[in-house]
Amino acid sequence: AAKETQILEKERKAKLQYEKQLEERQRKLKEQKQKEEQRRAAVEEKRKQKIEEEKERYEAVMHRTLERNQRLETRQKRWSWGGSVTPDSESKTALLYTAGKRSTSTANLKQTEAVVNKRLSSSAALLNAPDRTRRSQLSPLDSSVISRLLAPTQASLARSKSAATLSAD
């Protein structure tokens, strides 16, 4: 009877040990699954964040490109033969740009050429006229253009100074 109780006690202890081992394995498997899910979630979050950053970077590049193109267009309009930038000239330039992608029609070239020739001929006549008549016949725009053209630039002043110092040496 004592041997039998010892054997039963050993079997019970072995069974308890086995159950503990099973519970421990299940607990470890659960922990491992949770860690794996957390890792996957972190990787997914990081991937989404990278995608969002790439999207923002792309939008910023597109925004800068559009701004640069607008600045170039306004600079081209400002320095074009058409004169100053006005809403009317902007619409004409936009129509020309979309129609011919920076090519101008011959009619517009002839029109611009006529305006330039008219200004040049009137400027040449005014230059040969006495000072008083010259000043009275000029429009404010023309007079500012002529005074700007007649005034020496900083570069020409610097050249004349350097030429003077070289000739003095």
Side-chain angles (χ1 to χ4, degrees):
K3 267 189 176 182
E4 220 174 279
T5 39
Q6 282 179 349
I7 291 173
L8 285 176
E9 188 62 31
K10 279 184 181 180
E11 283 178 6
R12 190 179 64 78
K13 283 182 181 180
K15 191 175 184 181
L16 283 174
Q17 178 103 16
Y18 178 73
E19 287 175 0
K20 280 184 183 179
Q21 285 177 349
L22 275 178
E23 286 176 6
E24 187 66 26
R25 279 188 203 150
Q26 287 175 350
R27 186 182 59 80
K28 283 183 180 179
L29 281 173
K30 279 184 183 179
E31 287 176 2
Q32 194 174 7
K33 282 182 182 179
Q34 285 177 346
K35 284 182 184 178
E36 186 65 26
E37 285 177 15
Q38 288 174 350
R39 190 187 64 79
R40 282 187 190 142
V43 166
E44 183 65 23
E45 184 64 32
K46 195 172 184 179
R47 187 184 67 80
K48 284 181 183 178
Q49 193 175 14
K50 273 188 177 179
I51 289 173
E52 186 65 30
E53 287 173 1
E54 286 293 321
K55 183 179 177 185
E56 289 174 5
R57 195 175 301 127
Y58 175 75
E59 287 175 355
V61 166
M62 290 301 294
H63 183 69
R64 283 194 305 265
T65 304
L66 288 174
E67 282 181 352
R68 194 176 304 128
N69 286 344
Q70 282 180 335
R71 279 191 301 237
L72 286 174
E73 283 181 21
T74 55
R75 200 175 295 148
Q76 287 171 349
K77 289 175 189 175
R78 192 178 330 154
W79 297 109
S80 70
W81 286 103
S84 65
V85 176
T86 61
D88 189 37
S89 67
E90 284 179 6
S91 65
K92 287 179 184 175
T93 308
L95 287 173
L96 286 174
Y97 181 75
T98 54
K101 291 271 183 184
R102 298 184 187 194
S103 67
T104 56
S105 66
T106 56
N108 285 335
L109 283 174
K110 288 178 184 176
Q111 194 175 24
T112 305
E113 193 175 298
V115 170
V116 169
N117 286 337
K118 181 180 175 185
R119 281 192 177 176
L120 285 175
S121 63
S122 65
S123 297
L126 287 174
L127 285 174
N128 294 332
D131 277 343
R132 285 187 184 158
T133 55
R134 228 185 285 161
R135 286 191 201 119
S136 63
Q137 291 177 358
L138 286 176
S139 71
L141 177 66
D142 288 339
S143 63
S144 69
V145 168
I146 289 176
S147 64
R148 252 190 1 208
L149 289 172
L150 292 175
T153 62
Q154 289 181 347
S156 67
L157 292 174
R159 280 194 301 272
S160 62
K161 282 182 185 177
S162 65
T165 55
L166 285 175
S167 64
D169 290 343

